[in-house]
Amino acid sequence: MKNRCNTLLTLTLLILAPFQIAQANSQQDHLESIILGMGCFWGAEKRMSALPGVVDVESGYANGEIEASYRKILSHESLRKLGLSDKRNHTEVVKVTFDTNRTSLEAVLIGFWQNHDPTQGDRQGNDVGSNYRSAIYTHNDDQTATAVKTRDIYQQALLAKKFGRITTEIAPLTNYSAAETYHQDYLVKNPNGYCGLGGTGVIYPDSQESRLQPPSTTAMLDGAKLDPQQQLVVFEAEECIFCQQFKADILDHWQAEVEIASTLSRQPPAGWKLQKSLIATPTIVLFEQGNEVSRFTGYNGNMNRFWQWFDSQRMRPEASHIAGKMEAGRAKNSLF
C-alpha cells in the first residue's frame, strides 16, 4: 500500500511539474531589471525600493576593471586620485527589478532622475569619487533608448531651474557583482545610517509617472520676509537623519542674533541667489543682501566644525564665539 501511495505521489508530481514550471516562467516574463548608479547605494536602495511596481533592489558594483569588493574599490579610488592607476573603477549601483504589469521602465527612470542630482559628475553629496558617479547601465537597445529619452526630457527641466548639464553615464552593462551582505537593506537594518540623497527638487515634466515618488515641492522661502542684511538658511531634505540631528544639536538651542530659517526647497529664497547648486543636506548658507557669501555643506554631527565655520564668518560681533557661550551655559546647568 505504501509503495502504491508513493507511486501515485510521484505520478502526480510529474503531471503537475510542467504547469508549475510554466507558471514560474510566466511570472518571470513580467520582470525586468536595470542597473542604476545614484551615489552611495544605501540611500539609492531605499529610494528605489519605495517605487510602485519595484519588486527587488540589490546593492552592487558595475562596469569596473578591478576586483569588485568594497575595500578594493575604495583603495583603488585613492590610487586613481594619486595618479597611480588609470584602471576604471566600479560604480556603486543598485539592481532594480520591477514588474512590467505594474509599472514601466520610464516610471522607474523618472524615480531615478528625481531622487538624486545627476549633474554632479564624480560625486553625490558628500561622497566624492568616480565610484559614486551617476550611471544607467542597460541590458539592451530599448533600455538605452528610454534612458536617453528620459535624460533629455529631464535635462530641459533642470536647465529651466538653473541647474547644469547631466553627467549621468549611459552605457551597456559589461559586468555586475552583488555587494557584500552587510550592504544589503542597510538602512532597514540601520535606520540612522547615512543617506546622502536629496535630489534636485525638480519634477520630471509632463508625465503622470512623475507623481510616483515626487521630490519635495515645498515653496521656496520669501526673501522679502527675511533679513536682507544677513540671513542664514538651512536647506534640508525629507528623511534626512543629519537634518534632524542638526536641528537637535544646533537649531533647538539657537542663541545668535543673526536669524536662521529652514526650508525643504532646493531653491534659494525668492529674489535671492545661490552661488552654485546644492550637493548635500543639510547645507547652511549665509546670505548678505540676497546673495550667497558662504556655505557649510553636509553637517554630520560635528558641532565644533560647524561653530568654527560660523565664527569665521563674523556674523555680527555679538554673535561671535557662540559655541563657548553654549558650553558655559550647559556647564552651569549641569551643576543644578
Side-chain angles (χ1 to χ4, degrees):
M1 184 67 178
K2 183 177 180 181
N3 290 336
R4 182 181 177 186
C5 290
N6 288 338
T7 300
L8 289 173
L9 177 61
T10 301
L11 289 172
T12 301
L13 292 175
L14 288 173
I15 293 170
L16 291 176
F19 296 100
Q20 293 171 336
I21 293 172
Q23 184 180 26
N25 288 339
S26 177
Q27 292 173 346
Q28 291 295 321
D29 288 343
H30 299 155
L31 298 182
E32 184 177 344
S33 67
I34 192 161
I35 309 298
L36 305 173
M38 303 167 66
C40 174
F41 44 32
W42 296 344
E45 186 182 59
K46 179 178 179 179
R47 293 297 181 93
M48 299 309 290
S49 295
L51 293 179
V54 170
V55 298
D56 185 62
V57 181
E58 178 183 71
S59 292
Y61 313 110
N63 280 36
E65 298 176 340
I66 64 166
E67 179 184 332
S69 74
Y70 191 65
R71 292 185 179 278
K72 291 286 187 181
I73 288 168
L74 293 181
S75 176
H76 184 66
E77 192 61 26
S78 296
L79 294 176
R80 283 174 52 86
K81 290 176 180 178
L82 293 172
L84 300 178
S85 176
D86 59 359
K87 283 189 176 181
R88 179 181 173 84
N89 206 352
H90 288 285
T91 315
E92 282 196 19
V93 295
V94 287
K95 179 182 178 182
V96 180
T97 302
F98 56 96
D99 185 344
T100 56
N101 284 340
R102 297 170 53 201
T103 189
S104 65
L105 176 60
E106 181 180 8
V108 170
L109 289 177
I110 288 171
F112 163 80
W113 295 118
Q114 290 187 156
N115 279 292
H116 79 303
D117 184 344
T119 69
Q120 294 185 22
D122 286 348
R123 73 178 303 158
Q124 195 65 211
N126 289 334
D127 298 317
V128 181
S130 65
N131 48 317
Y132 298 114
R133 61 190 179 267
S134 174
I136 301 174
Y137 298 132
T138 61
H139 295 294
N140 52 55
D141 291 343
D142 288 341
Q143 286 193 344
T144 300
T146 303
V148 171
K149 182 187 77 171
T150 57
R151 178 201 63 192
D152 292 347
I153 292 173
Y154 197 57
Q155 179 68 84
Q156 296 307 309
L158 289 174
L159 290 174
K161 295 294 185 180
K162 309 302 182 184
F163 283 88
R165 290 286 174 182
I166 288 175
T167 61
T168 303
E169 177 185 17
I170 299 177
L173 180 68
T174 58
N175 56 73
Y176 170 81
S177 299
E180 295 81 354
T181 301
Y182 69 91
H183 286 301
Q184 308 300 335
D185 300 314
Y186 185 86
L187 292 180
V188 174
K189 295 179 287 190
N190 302 275
N192 293 328
Y194 170 71
C195 173
L197 296 187
T200 60
V202 178
I203 297 176
Y204 188 93
D206 302 327
S207 174
Q208 186 175 1
E209 280 88 351
S210 67
R211 294 191 291 273
L212 290 175
Q213 184 162 325
S216 170
T217 56
T218 302
M220 65 180 69
L221 294 171
D222 184 353
K225 297 180 179 180
L226 303 176
D227 186 343
Q229 181 183 354
Q230 205 169 49
Q231 175 75 49
L232 284 168
V233 175
V234 184
F235 292 91
E236 302 177 317
E238 297 174 355
E239 300 182 11
C240 169
I241 295 298
F242 285 120
C243 297
Q244 298 170 16
Q245 188 170 352
F246 183 77
K247 181 179 183 301
D249 291 348
I250 308 295
L251 294 184
D252 288 349
H253 311 284
W254 192 253
Q255 298 178 13
E257 180 182 344
V258 61
E259 296 181 5
I260 190 166
S262 299
T263 180
L264 290 175
S265 173
R266 305 285 287 183
Q267 303 302 318
W272 292 20
K273 293 182 180 180
L274 287 168
Q275 288 183 346
K276 54 187 176 181
S277 62
L278 304 171
I279 63 172
T281 56
T283 291
I284 301 89
V285 177
L286 173 63
F287 291 92
E288 292 181 357
Q289 306 304 324
N291 294 303
E292 176 187 343
V293 295
S294 182
R295 70 171 59 184
F296 182 93
T297 299
Y299 179 79
N300 63 358
N302 188 334
M303 288 191 289
N304 287 335
R305 181 169 163 265
F306 169 77
W307 289 122
Q308 287 172 3
W309 169 81
F310 180 89
D311 279 342
S312 72
Q313 302 308 309
R314 309 261 182 220
M315 292 184 229
R316 299 172 184 160
E318 57 270 36
S320 186
H321 306 298
I322 189 172
K325 296 178 183 178
M326 288 182 65
E327 287 300 323
R330 288 172 180 164
K332 181 178 179 181
N333 292 334
S334 67
L335 297 176
F336 297 96

